[in-house]
Amino acid sequence: MQEDFLHFIWKHKRFKTRDLLTVNSEKVSIISLGQHNYNSGPDFFNAQVVIDTQKWAGNVEIHIKSSDWYVHNHETDKAYDNVILHVVWDHDTDIFRKDNTPIPTLELRDYVDKSLLDSYQKLMQSKSWINCETDFASVDDFKLTNWIERLYIERLERKSKDIYKLLEVSKNDWEAVLFKMLCKNFGLKVNGDSFFSLANSMDYSIVRKVSHDATDLEAMFFGQASLLDDDIQDVYYLDLQKRFQFLKLKFQLNNQGVLPLQFFRLRPPNFPTIRLSQLAMLMYKEQGLFSKILKLSTAEEFYNLFEVEASVFWKSHYVFSKASKSVKKKLTKSFIDLLLINTILPLKFSHSKALGKSSEEAVFNLIKSVKIEKNSIVEKFLELKPIDKSAMTSQGLIQLKTEYCDKNKCLQCAIGSQLISKNR
């Protein structure tokens, strides 16, 4: 038994509400259950109940045992002075406020259908990949679709918090925030943190000043990433070294905080050398990139905007020291999809929110036109139940698995709530 289960029962009124009595045989009538509080303080605010003939307005506190009131030291906390009803599963002691006035206690166990408790225990005691694995396929399609949409917005809201922190550091420069996020996502999972540390190693005003010259941008990125420290006798490499030394002195660049790059176990197209050159070409080709992003609304428009390739040297190289078969190193649609999912859409959502505008419809239209991501979480869910295959689905499922399933928050999940109620 978890306290969250009692919150669920109270919030959704999953108990018999007729003939309720406190542990002292006082009649209880519920007018309003109150507003669920997810922060510190009483569990439900602004409830209204009638106890005997007296109407009360205030807060409701919920515990497994009455004695938990004292375990949590509520008797000394002013925040609990306005508790009008103590709801528990087991009543094991009377409780009092700080001024020693008694608080009416309602013991729920006699008012809850046993089948509801059985369904809850069955779900929470599961040892499967997710608690509801055996029942996931039975979830109503309409409810699942709506829940995935809500989960996606929830995920965007979480990413917005990180974006606003970057915005504060960047003194409200959205272009600078875009650059940092692009850096992180160009590095992908393996080098994301390294690329992000590279972006943080230089003020974006420097990137602006250098962006008129693609090779200077490459030199600065490669140099800050410590990729120009070898003795390689190549015209392009020597030119980059020379340019970086000039830029380093001019802008007082320091790369001590830049994390080492990884090449191991990466496919050559994802080597940091290729991604840094592509990023440099993008910043050179598209001046004022953030303002352009705000004007676009379709995936096809973004595919055109991000149609860039690494510089000429990289057609025949993946690393500085070894030539390879000549092939253009263009940003692929699948890579641009990742940029849309992890950079563009969160930024567009956050920018609209900062302006007090709603962008959900536009965001939904764009994310639904992007192909579903391929990873172990998404593939496992798709094995359990056929679901609409768009990037919004994959983002929603990732949010579901990491923030609900893995944390056993089934009672706060629309799927878990439906299954518990359905199996009653």
Side-chain angles (χ1 to χ4, degrees):
M1 172 70 69
Q2 293 181 359
E3 201 170 283
D4 281 352
F5 181 52
L6 298 187
H7 289 190
F8 171 82
I9 292 173
W10 183 260
K11 181 177 181 178
H12 298 283
K13 223 171 189 177
R14 301 296 170 83
F15 57 96
K16 300 170 186 176
T17 57
R18 296 183 63 182
D19 303 322
L20 290 175
L21 296 173
T22 69
V23 294
N24 292 324
S25 299
E26 302 162 303
K27 185 176 180 179
V28 179
S29 298
I30 299 172
I31 300 172
S32 172
L33 296 165
Q35 180 183 356
H36 200 178
N37 172 36
Y38 294 99
N39 300 311
S40 60
D43 296 315
F44 287 84
F45 291 148
N46 303 320
Q48 295 183 43
V49 299
V50 176
I51 300 176
D52 275 347
T53 58
Q54 178 66 49
K55 182 178 178 180
W56 296 86
N59 304 326
V60 172
E61 178 66 5
I62 295 178
H63 287 125
I64 301 297
K65 295 181 178 181
S66 301
S67 57
D68 290 338
W69 179 274
Y70 297 111
V71 172
H72 299 156
N73 298 315
H74 293 336
E75 77 280 6
T76 61
D77 191 337
K78 288 183 178 180
Y80 294 83
D81 286 350
N82 197 31
V83 170
I84 58 173
L85 185 66
H86 193 208
V87 178
V88 302
W89 188 256
D90 289 315
H91 176 62
D92 58 350
T93 188
D94 293 331
I95 60 147
F96 301 85
R97 300 182 184 88
K98 188 171 59 175
D99 62 1
N100 288 324
T101 56
I103 299 178
T105 300
L106 174 66
E107 190 177 47
L108 270 184
R109 63 184 309 149
D110 294 331
Y111 301 102
V112 176
D113 193 317
K114 185 178 181 299
S115 63
L116 181 67
L117 180 59
D118 291 341
S119 296
Y120 163 73
Q121 291 176 334
K122 176 185 175 184
L123 185 65
M124 299 307 292
Q125 291 172 2
S126 171
K127 302 298 182 183
S128 304
W129 178 66
I130 56 175
N131 290 343
C132 64
E133 182 170 346
T134 57
D135 296 313
F136 187 80
S138 68
V139 176
D140 178 74
D141 290 342
F142 181 74
K143 181 176 284 290
L144 180 58
T145 298
N146 286 341
W147 181 229
I148 284 175
E149 288 185 358
R150 182 177 163 188
L151 288 168
Y152 177 55
I153 293 299
E154 191 177 286
R155 190 165 177 81
L156 285 177
E157 292 281 3
R158 179 182 62 77
K159 290 182 178 181
S160 289
K161 293 179 181 178
D162 295 330
I163 289 172
Y164 293 142
K165 288 178 183 178
L166 291 177
L167 192 63
E168 184 178 356
V169 172
S170 303
K171 298 179 181 178
N172 292 316
D173 189 338
W174 286 95
E175 290 279 359
V177 174
L178 170 62
F179 173 68
K180 290 183 178 183
M181 292 183 66
L182 282 173
C183 279
K184 183 173 179 62
N185 288 299
F186 263 75
L188 298 172
K189 187 174 182 179
V190 173
N191 284 307
D193 290 340
S194 298
F195 275 41
F196 187 64
S197 67
L198 186 152
N200 285 324
S201 72
M202 49 195 169
D203 193 276
Y204 183 67
S205 61
I206 299 173
V207 179
R208 276 197 180 99
K209 292 173 183 176
V210 177
S211 61
H212 66 280
D213 189 305
T215 308
D216 274 354
L217 276 176
E218 283 187 300
M220 187 163 66
F221 292 171
F222 289 137
Q224 286 297 97
S226 299
L227 292 174
L228 299 178
D229 298 338
D230 297 323
D231 181 18
I232 298 176
Q233 296 304 307
D234 176 270
V235 174
Y236 171 67
Y237 190 83
L238 294 173
D239 183 39
L240 290 175
Q241 282 184 323
K242 182 179 179 181
R243 287 171 181 258
F244 178 62
Q245 289 305 315
F246 173 77
L247 294 170
K248 184 177 180 180
L249 289 172
K250 181 178 180 179
F251 297 114
Q252 296 297 296
L253 296 175
N254 186 312
N255 65 356
Q256 290 183 354
V258 178
L259 300 175
L261 296 173
Q262 302 294 324
F263 286 80
F264 186 58
R265 290 183 178 174
L266 281 174
R267 293 176 58 248
N270 287 329
F271 277 5
T273 44
I274 304 302
R275 293 305 183 196
L276 285 175
S277 178
Q278 291 168 335
L279 179 61
M281 293 304 109
L282 175 64
M283 302 309 296
Y284 165 72
K285 174 175 174 278
E286 301 296 345
Q287 307 286 318
L289 183 58
F290 182 72
S291 60
K292 295 179 181 180
I293 283 171
L294 292 181
K295 297 175 183 177
L296 305 185
S297 58
T298 68
E300 199 60 41
E301 288 174 324
F302 282 103
Y303 293 147
N304 292 332
L305 180 67
F306 287 94
E307 190 174 356
V308 297
E309 61 183 272
S311 60
V312 175
F313 175 84
W314 299 106
K315 284 185 179 181
S316 57
H317 292 78
Y318 287 102
V319 293
F320 285 109
S321 58
K322 184 179 179 182
S324 59
K325 183 180 178 181
S326 181
V327 59
K328 289 183 178 181
K329 310 297 194 307
K330 295 177 61 176
L331 292 182
T332 63
K333 282 189 175 182
S334 60
F335 185 82
I336 298 172
D337 283 344
L338 291 177
L339 296 181
L340 280 168
I341 293 167
N342 297 310
T343 299
I344 306 307
L345 281 164
L347 269 173
K348 286 173 75 73
F349 177 83
S350 300
H351 185 260
S352 293
K353 185 179 177 182
L355 295 178
K357 298 179 180 179
S358 175
S359 61
E360 288 187 12
E361 183 178 353
V363 167
F364 281 169
N365 289 337
L366 182 50
I367 192 70
K368 287 179 179 179
S369 69
V370 178
K371 289 183 179 180
I372 194 167
E373 300 161 89
K374 294 181 180 180
N375 57 56
S376 59
I377 291 177
V378 175
E379 289 171 1
K380 184 64 176 179
F381 272 116
L382 293 179
E383 288 177 7
L384 299 178
K385 182 180 177 69
I387 308 174
D388 174 57
K389 294 184 178 182
S390 73
M392 186 174 74
T393 299
S394 55
Q395 284 288 288
L397 292 176
I398 292 169
Q399 182 74 3
L400 174 61
K401 181 66 167 64
T402 57
E403 297 300 320
Y404 289 84
C405 303
D406 290 351
K407 297 179 180 179
N408 281 324
K409 292 168 66 175
C410 303
L411 297 171
Q412 296 175 36
C413 170
I415 296 170
S417 297
Q418 180 186 344
L419 291 175
I420 289 175
S421 301
K422 181 180 178 180
N423 293 331
R424 286 180 61 184

